[in-house]
Amino acid sequence: MDAFKNWVARSGMGSILILALLIMVVFPLTMDIFRLNLVGKYLTYAFVAVGLVMLWGYGGILSLGQGVFFGLGGYMMAMFLKLEASDPEATKIQSTPGIPDFMDWNQLTELPIWWQPFHSFSFTVLAVVAVPMILAFIVSFAMFKRRVGGVYFAIITQAVALILTVLIIGQQGYTGGVNGITDLKTLMGWDIRDDSSKYVLYFVNAGLLIGVILLCRWIQMSKLGTLLLAMRDKEDRVRFSGYDVSMFKVFAFVLAAGISAIGGAMFTLQVGFMSPSFVGIVPSIEMVIFAAVGGRMSLVGAVYGALLVNFGKTYFSESAPDLWLFLMAALFIGVVLAFPNGLAGLYESHVKPWLSRRKSSPPAPSMEAPASSAHTPKTAPESSLPKGVQGQSA
Amino acid sequence: MSNTDFVLAIEDLTVSFDGFKAIDNLTLYVDRGELRVIIGPNGAGKTTLLDLICGKTKASGGSIKFKNQEMTKLAEHKIVRAGVGRKFQTPSIYENLSVFKNLEVSFPSGRSVLGALGFRCTDEVKERVQSVASEIGLADALDMEAGLLSHGQKQWLEIGMLLMQEPELLMLDEPIAGMSVRERELTADLLQRICKGRSVIVIEHDMDFVKRIAHKVTVMHQGKILAEGSMEKVQADPKVIDVYLGH
């Protein structure tokens, strides 16, 4: 029993369980479908933040281009849905029926060859994860083998984000341009727009997120997790202990890319469109903010960070439309200055000692292990959740 | 270059940084089971020599053969895997990890990405960690965060991390820098123990310490070898006296 308790405390299972309860039970019970769908959207960003915990927190590699992988995952899911929405019957008023509407507007007369495989759902699911991981592998292998790191790597990821945005916007006939891919309706005949399917998608998304967190936790507890931490501290020592440091960095980058892409695909399914505004530099930096606010060493913290920042964003953009960007910036700077380890760090340094003090004081009743992390932040966003938020930018 | 019986054979090694020859046509052989100390004034190229052997710096010319295998073209981690361990001048340990983890990470298995994912801390690993920890006098500190160790203990820990890999050639860059007298003695004993069954190269300035441990001493000056031999012979060499006292 003690061994089990130890394992729970060491593995952080308690905090993951609390998070699972919160997003799978508490939120669905207390929110209507509109708000739940909104939370679902925030949780898709949490995938990227979780990936950043592995990449940035553990691996020490800052990427300012995670939007690329989120976007790629989202776009590929959108391509599949768009093809399904563009059957010849529904598009018979077009000059070329059977191709997506934006292609028709751009005088394309047939479906480009690289769109063809996205008729298949199984191919799409595979590609959603595989394509971003392959791209991440190529970029990071080229960089890390040449020992490019730190700020230089961050700048290169920014460049990739910019290139992809420009490419998507410029190739309007193939990508839908600046509007993105819109008007998505069904997934293999199943309408994704009605309330019941939104519930299903929310739970699929939440389940995937918990699954991804468990996977990352397992990696963190393996020797690979230890090595990532070791590399962050003393890269040369790891290299001269016989490890090919660059391949471990490539692994972290590819892992984060794959996770982000799953989030992107779930975003498309839940929100019903995908556009270049989720690919570029600004959204990529925002995703780093989620991880920083939540605590870049904490997987569950990253999820709370994504939720809190996005609730804040919704709230600020409604209550102070002209100032909200500045308020967001102030929140970020404030968090980084005051609690460099984010909400999870705040929990570790303040709440946990307080809990154990209470526990050890004589009259206090014995509480369950304080392994549950980041209990605190969740109340704040919930109470500040604004009603009727719509069309806020992200 | 012919094959030799030496564990390490360096021949005509040269490296130049922007025309400055930090190592200049250097030839050096190290025997199996030998403890070699390299001394020399600052800027003589001692650390650069270790950098070249372990692959941190790439040679401009010449050859480095470890057990008759050419090392100059190999990647750093491959040189380590071939059996060369290197301790850095400033203690280079993972401060945020426990002493146990520091040693465990240095265990030579699960070195690929997938290998590291599947790595399990078996009894064999635990035993090795235990035995190395008692060798370096840190058996009681296994659960301690490495950053909290004293300076001398950090130096020992790094030596221990190298011992985990069981290298055939161990290179130590100023292992007793910043140590107390007592710690120096313990380190000298440690070095004498660990050079059994492997070759060790030590860079050191402290002449008493050198006298105590060295089998053979190499004196470097301006990227070249000035003298080589026993401590007494080297100390009596007029060229060496000139370099150390003349300028």
Side-chain angles (χ1 to χ4, degrees):
Chain A
M1 194 61 210
D2 266 0
F4 177 72
K5 256 187 184 168
N6 266 338
W7 177 79
V8 168
R10 209 163 48 86
S11 64
M13 275 308 150
S15 59
I16 296 176
L17 196 67
I18 287 179
L19 178 73
L21 280 176
L22 182 72
I23 63 176
M24 313 259 290
V25 179
V26 178
F27 283 169
L29 286 179
T30 55
M31 291 180 185
D32 58 38
I33 184 59
F34 172 76
R35 279 195 275 172
L36 195 65
N37 184 236
L38 205 60
V39 171
K41 184 173 87 172
Y42 300 163
L43 288 179
T44 65
Y45 302 142
F47 281 89
V48 187
V50 165
L52 277 165
V53 167
M54 296 304 288
L55 180 65
W56 181 36
Y58 268 69
I61 305 156
L62 178 58
S63 165
L64 297 175
Q66 292 306 93
V68 167
F69 308 114
F70 183 82
L72 276 177
Y75 260 99
M76 283 185 288
M77 184 52 82
M79 284 161 75
F80 171 78
L81 297 174
K82 188 67 189 171
L83 285 182
E84 197 175 303
S86 312
D87 62 277
E89 185 57 31
T91 53
K92 59 175 183 285
I93 54 161
Q94 291 177 181
S95 43
T96 314
I99 62 170
D101 48 12
F102 59 84
M103 289 186 186
D104 196 53
W105 303 332
N106 286 281
Q107 278 87 45
L108 262 66
T109 52
E110 63 176 344
L111 197 64
I113 211 160
W114 54 275
W115 269 74
Q116 302 283 3
F118 289 93
H119 279 298
S120 151
F121 183 64
S122 37
F123 174 85
T124 306
V125 170
L126 188 73
V128 156
V129 187
V131 171
M133 286 172 93
I134 291 167
L135 176 71
F137 181 83
I138 293 168
V139 171
S140 60
F141 189 81
M143 291 302 118
F144 293 140
K145 276 286 173 192
R146 286 178 179 73
R147 307 266 164 93
V148 175
V151 179
Y152 299 100
F153 184 75
I155 291 171
I156 286 176
T157 56
Q158 288 246 291
V160 174
L162 188 64
I163 290 167
L164 191 63
T165 323
V166 169
L167 205 64
I168 290 172
I169 294 175
Q171 300 298 313
Q172 189 166 286
Y174 300 101
T175 62
V178 76
N179 298 319
I181 299 178
T182 55
D183 237 354
L184 309 173
K185 297 185 177 81
T186 55
L187 175 75
M188 296 196 287
W190 177 57
D191 196 324
I192 58 169
R193 292 164 302 175
D194 62 30
D195 284 357
S196 68
S197 50
K198 279 184 175 166
Y199 267 113
V200 173
L201 286 171
Y202 175 86
F203 281 109
V204 170
N205 183 43
L208 281 172
L209 182 61
I210 297 296
V212 161
I213 290 176
L214 289 172
L215 173 75
C216 289
R217 189 65 209 150
W218 176 70
I219 292 172
Q220 284 181 352
M221 288 174 73
S222 75
K223 182 179 179 182
L224 204 151
T226 314
L227 277 169
L228 286 176
L229 286 177
M231 263 165 40
R232 204 190 54 183
D233 286 352
K234 290 273 178 349
E235 189 174 321
D236 261 351
R237 186 65 272 164
V238 179
R239 183 171 291 129
F240 290 106
S241 296
Y243 297 98
D244 187 355
V245 167
S246 51
M247 287 317 290
F248 286 87
K249 291 186 171 181
V250 168
F251 173 83
F253 195 67
V254 169
L255 174 75
I259 294 173
S260 306
I262 298 173
M266 290 312 297
F267 176 93
T268 302
L269 282 170
Q270 290 186 92
V271 182
F273 80 103
M274 191 68 209
S275 89
S277 60
F278 305 101
V279 176
I281 289 176
V282 175
S284 297
I285 291 178
E286 272 184 278
M287 289 160 184
V288 174
I289 296 179
F290 305 154
V293 167
R296 66 195 165 104
M297 295 305 290
S298 164
L299 293 166
V300 289
V303 178
Y304 291 116
L307 287 175
L308 179 70
V309 174
N310 282 290
F311 281 129
K313 202 162 146 179
T314 310
Y315 180 76
F316 288 142
S317 63
E318 291 223 318
S319 57
D322 301 329
L323 280 176
W324 74 273
L325 266 179
F326 294 97
L327 291 172
M328 286 306 297
L331 177 73
F332 177 55
I333 294 170
V335 165
V336 171
L337 279 183
F339 341 107
N341 292 321
L343 295 171
L346 194 66
Y347 172 81
E348 289 289 329
S349 65
H350 288 82
V351 181
K352 219 169 166 181
W354 179 76
L355 279 178
S356 54
R357 262 204 313 280
R358 267 179 52 129
K359 216 172 134 185
S360 57
S361 64
S366 68
M367 271 169 60
E368 213 22 72
S372 51
S373 106
H375 218 85
T376 29
K378 84 167 194 243
T379 48
E382 247 187 331
S383 57
S384 66
L385 183 74
K387 290 183 203 299
V389 276
Q390 199 156 25
Q392 36 90 38
S393 77
Chain B
M1 182 187 138
S2 57
N3 286 349
T4 60
D5 284 340
F6 295 110
V7 71
L8 182 74
I10 300 173
E11 296 187 346
D12 306 323
L13 186 68
T14 302
V15 67
S16 61
F17 303 120
D18 296 328
F20 168 70
K21 285 190 172 167
I23 298 287
D24 190 2
N25 244 337
L26 181 136
T27 298
L28 176 80
Y29 301 97
V30 177
D31 260 328
R32 286 173 199 277
E34 181 186 345
L35 199 163
R36 173 73 60 97
V37 179
I38 300 177
I39 60 172
N42 287 332
K46 304 181 297 288
T47 300
T48 309
L49 179 62
L50 295 199
D51 283 349
L52 283 162
I53 297 170
C54 74
K56 197 168 184 231
T57 306
K58 295 286 167 218
S60 318
S63 112
I64 300 171
K65 282 198 172 181
F66 174 68
K67 295 195 293 177
N68 293 321
Q69 189 193 351
E70 185 60 48
M71 292 282 125
T72 42
K73 300 283 180 290
L74 282 187
E76 294 97 325
H77 63 275
K78 296 227 167 100
I79 296 179
V80 176
R81 289 180 194 181
V84 179
R86 159 87 189 267
K87 187 200 160 306
F88 294 96
Q89 202 162 343
T90 48
S92 182
I93 54 166
Y94 315 124
E95 307 246 333
N96 295 322
L97 301 179
S98 67
V99 171
F100 184 90
K101 281 274 174 197
N102 267 275
L103 293 171
E104 187 200 352
V105 159
S106 311
F107 188 80
S109 83
R111 276 171 162 170
S112 66
V113 169
L114 292 178
L117 269 177
F119 179 84
R120 289 282 161 273
C121 187
T122 55
D123 288 342
E124 186 203 348
V125 179
K126 282 180 193 150
E127 262 168 46
R128 287 246 342 116
V129 170
Q130 278 295 346
S131 77
V132 168
S134 38
E135 179 83 81
I136 57 174
L138 292 176
D140 299 331
L142 281 175
D143 294 328
M144 209 159 139
E145 206 178 285
L148 301 173
L149 296 174
S150 74
H151 179 79
Q153 287 173 318
K154 285 180 186 170
Q155 301 272 39
W156 291 335
L157 176 57
E158 196 180 355
I159 294 174
M161 288 159 72
L162 294 174
L163 292 179
M164 287 297 292
Q165 304 163 23
E166 299 195 319
E168 284 180 61
L169 174 66
L170 190 58
M171 303 191 290
L172 309 172
D173 199 345
E174 302 198 14
I176 61 161
M179 279 190 179
S180 68
V181 178
R182 173 79 189 126
E183 285 173 330
R184 281 163 193 235
E185 282 169 12
L186 289 171
T187 309
D189 294 343
L190 175 66
L191 290 188
Q192 264 149 8
R193 282 200 305 275
I194 64 180
C195 74
K196 296 211 171 64
R198 62 168 63 88
S199 311
V200 181
I201 300 178
V202 180
I203 292 181
E204 200 39 76
H205 285 297
D206 185 310
M207 288 306 156
D208 293 332
F209 185 75
V210 174
K211 241 181 242 169
R212 225 181 127 173
I213 60 166
H215 299 169
K216 212 170 167 190
V217 178
T218 297
V219 187
M220 280 183 71
H221 180 52
Q222 291 176 347
K224 294 188 172 108
I225 290 182
L226 196 66
E228 200 167 271
S230 68
M231 188 67 185
E232 292 77 32
K233 184 186 152 207
V234 161
Q235 270 182 320
D237 192 319
K239 281 185 296 182
V240 177
I241 296 170
D242 192 44
V243 163
Y244 268 96
L245 304 172
H247 298 283

